[in-house]
């Protein structure tokens, strides 16, 4: 009897260890192999500045309320309230200790596209690496080069304020297993270079889906609801549907969408509002062809 | 039959009165005001983009509408008008009324300044919109909630 019990216990232990190992294997942080970030050469700073605008980095990483050139100080500190707790945006200025000045391209790139931090830890998807995962290695290299040209800040942002179990970073491996993907979000005609470019900008650096797509209880995107609109994560109001089936922009022509992104005015001369104001200012900095590509893509996705 | 007619008349009067009252409510007044500003913006943008010919009368009228409307706008937010009638006004208006007023007055002042210099051609109207336009988003960023 005693022997049986011991056998049972030891097989349970073995099972537990195997399950834990399997769990770890499935959910461990997975940076790119080092070769992914090699041989990229000198960063193209001008392109990096465009990726920086497309990515909307300042919207979260600038000091809250900063205007003009002060926005280029990526000191962090903005609190992001979410159903999972409050995230505090980190300092990503090129400061060697408080910022990312001491990071290598591979460390920066794996944070951007794999959600893996400098210490090899999982990052919280409040940092939209689930979108940035689509960035090309070249764009990441150029972006990193550009960020290094910006002013340093010694500001140390507070750490995240999250209740259990969301404060356990290991659990993020499970989140990634369920929801992390660098595959296209929808099928569009990518033989049209304009639509392909739009898909890259919207699904990748633009990270439009992070607000415009509804999420399930675990914070993953609801399937089949790409860009269909969602509750405002910051509180009251709604983030609109931006598919061709949208009541607000479905009737807009591609030209009108591009014009809205450039000027901030709708075809009826209502204006951009809320968090989209910052986004629109960034979109206005892109070449006209990029805004047209975004519009073409938004016209090509499934109507919801 | 008479009773029915009377009831109908009462109901109809009620409806009509309801409609009159609703249009007078601050929520509706300010929505109409914003539509006027949007209309003026559209008229100027049509000229700036070259879709409409330059017309000094239109420019003057549009800038005057913006100036007058913007200055009267913050008076349409009395206590009790925080909700209702699909208002998209954010509660932050009442929390920061001074800042809200300052933002509306700045739009008025910018429109006045442009009017004083009187944009004389398509390019000047475009430049004027560069001055005036950011007021719209700047205020809507904080003080408007999209439902």
């Amino acid at each position: 009897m005693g022997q049986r019990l011991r056998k049972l216990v030891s097989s349970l232990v073995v099972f537990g260890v195997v399950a834990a190992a399997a769990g770890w294997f499935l959910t461990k942080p997975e940076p790119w192999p080092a070769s992914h970030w090699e041989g990229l050469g000198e960063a193209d700073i001008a392109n990096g500045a465009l990726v920086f605008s497309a990515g909307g980095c300042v919207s979260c990483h600038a000091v809250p309320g900063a205007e003009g050139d002060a926005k280029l100080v990526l000191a962090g500190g903005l609190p992001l309230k979410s159903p999972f707790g409050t995230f505090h945006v980190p300092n990503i200025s090129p400061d060697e200790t408080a910022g990312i000045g001491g990071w290598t391209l591979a460390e920066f790139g794996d944070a951007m596209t794999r959600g893996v931090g400098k210490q090899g830890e999982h990052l919280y998807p409040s940092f939209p690496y689930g979108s940035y995962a689509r960035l090309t290695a070249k764009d990441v290299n150029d972006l990193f080069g550009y960020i290094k040209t910006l002013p340093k800040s010694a500001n140390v942002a507070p750490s995240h304020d999250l209740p259990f179990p969301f404060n356990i970073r290991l659990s993020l491996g499970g989140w990634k297993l369920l929801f992390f993907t660098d595959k296209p979000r929808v099928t569009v005609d990518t033989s049209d270079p304009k639509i392909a470019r739009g898909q890259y900008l919207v699904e990748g650096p633009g990270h439009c889906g992070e607000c415009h797509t509804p999420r399930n209880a675990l914070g993953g995107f609801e399937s089949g609801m790409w860009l269909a609109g969602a509750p405002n994560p910051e509180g009251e109001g709604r983030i609109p549907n931006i598919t061709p089936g949208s009541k607000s922009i479905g009737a807009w022509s591609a030209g009108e969408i591009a014009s809205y992104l450039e000027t901030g005015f709708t075809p009826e001369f209502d204006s951009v509002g809320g968090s989209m104001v910052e986004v629109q200012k960034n979109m206005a900095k892109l070449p006209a062809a990029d805004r047209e590509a975004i519009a073409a893509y938004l016209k090509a996705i499934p109507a919801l | 039959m008479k009773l029915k007619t009377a009831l109908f008349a009462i109901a109809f009067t009620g409806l009509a009165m309801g409609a009159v009252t609703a249009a007078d409510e601050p929520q509706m007044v300010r929505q109409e005001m914003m539509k006027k500003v949007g209309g003026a913006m559209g008229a100027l943008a049509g000229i700036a983009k070259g879709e409409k010919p330059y017309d000094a009368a239109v420019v003057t009228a549009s800038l005057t509408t913006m100036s007058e409307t913007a200055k009267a706008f913050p008076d349409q937010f009395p206590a009790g008008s925080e909700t209702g009638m699909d208002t998209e006004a954010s509660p932050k208006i009442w929390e920061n009324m001074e800042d809200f007023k300052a933002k509306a007055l700045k739009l008025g002042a910018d429109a006045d300044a442009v009017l004083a210099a009187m944009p004389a051609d398509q390019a000047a109207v475009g430049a004027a919109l560069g001055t005036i336009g950011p007021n719209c988003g700047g205020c809507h960023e904080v003080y408007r909630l999209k439902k």
Side-chain angles (χ1 to χ4, degrees), chain A residues 84 175 179 215-221:
Chain A
F84 308 102
W175 187 91
F179 304 121
R215 293 174 188 271
N216 58 29
L218 292 172
F221 290 141

Side-chain angles (χ1 to χ4, degrees), chain A residues 13-45:
Chain A
V13 167
V14 168
F15 176 78
V17 168
V18 170
W24 169 248
F25 178 76
L26 286 171
T27 65
K28 68 181 169 29
E30 276 186 289
W32 284 104
S35 60
H36 187 79
W37 304 112
E38 285 165 2
L40 294 165
E42 281 288 301
D44 174 348
I45 305 293

Side-chain angles (χ1 to χ4, degrees), chain A residues 229-247:
Chain A
N232 180 1
E234 293 163 12
E236 291 182 72
R238 269 191 79 78
I239 311 286
N241 177 340
I242 52 170
T243 73
S246 163
K247 270 187 279 180

Side-chain angles (χ1 to χ4, degrees), chain A:
Chain A
M1 191 67 180
Q3 208 172 356
R4 259 204 198 161
L5 186 64
R6 221 176 294 148
K7 245 190 182 167
L8 182 67
V9 167
S10 64
S11 49
L12 273 178
V13 167
V14 168
F15 176 78
V17 168
V18 170
W24 169 248
F25 178 76
L26 286 171
T27 65
K28 68 181 169 29
E30 276 186 289
W32 284 104
S35 60
H36 187 79
W37 304 112
E38 285 165 2
L40 294 165
E42 281 288 301
D44 174 348
I45 305 293
N47 181 55
L50 289 181
V51 178
F52 184 76
S53 289
C57 312
V58 296
S59 298
C60 284
H61 288 282
V63 177
E67 289 290 341
D69 279 352
K71 274 196 172 158
L72 296 178
V73 185
L74 305 174
L78 177 75
L80 286 177
K81 288 191 188 130
S82 83
F84 308 102
T86 299
F87 298 96
H88 294 277
V89 178
N91 179 339
I92 59 161
S93 79
D95 189 87
E96 284 78 4
T97 48
I100 61 170
W103 292 36
T104 64
L105 172 64
E107 288 164 345
F108 176 78
D110 286 330
M112 286 287 298
T113 62
R114 306 298 297 176
V116 179
K118 193 178 191 317
Q119 318 302 329
E121 79 281 21
H122 285 304
L123 298 175
Y124 286 97
S126 47
F127 171 50
Y129 56 79
S131 294
Y132 295 156
R134 290 163 185 73
L135 281 169
T136 61
K138 177 193 180 321
D139 275 356
V140 171
N141 183 42
D142 295 347
L143 173 65
F144 191 46
Y146 173 73
I147 289 180
K148 281 197 271 193
T149 68
L150 298 177
K152 296 177 184 182
S153 160
N155 177 54
V156 178
S159 47
H160 300 324
D161 189 7
L162 307 170
F164 181 82
F166 306 119
N167 56 349
I168 309 293
R169 278 185 190 266
L170 267 179
S171 64
L172 291 167
W175 187 91
K176 284 181 175 172
L177 185 67
L178 290 171
F179 304 121
F180 180 81
T181 169
D182 57 6
K183 299 286 178 293
R185 299 289 188 187
V186 286
T187 310
V188 288
D189 178 13
T190 48
S191 67
D192 180 339
K194 203 174 195 183
I195 293 177
R197 174 69 180 162
Q199 179 168 42
Y200 178 72
L201 288 166
V202 171
E203 299 185 10
H207 66 284
C208 311
E210 303 286 341
C211 286
H212 285 281
T213 301
R215 293 174 188 271
N216 58 29
L218 292 172
F221 290 141
E222 279 180 34
S223 62
M225 294 295 283
W226 181 242
L227 303 181
N232 180 1
E234 293 163 12
E236 291 182 72
R238 269 191 79 78
I239 311 286
N241 177 340
I242 52 170
T243 73
S246 163
K247 270 187 279 180
S248 34
I249 77 158
W252 297 10
S253 69
E256 286 169 337
I257 295 174
S259 168
Y260 169 80
L261 294 173
E262 182 188 1
T263 66
F265 286 100
T266 72
E268 301 82 36
F269 286 92
D270 191 353
S271 93
V272 61
S275 315
M276 192 63 197
V277 172
E278 279 298 319
V279 177
Q280 183 267 318
K281 283 184 199 164
N282 284 320
M283 293 296 120
K285 292 181 185 144
L286 299 183
D290 277 352
R291 286 187 295 270
E292 286 160 17
I294 290 170
Y297 167 82
L298 291 178
K299 282 286 169 197
I301 60 175
L304 294 171

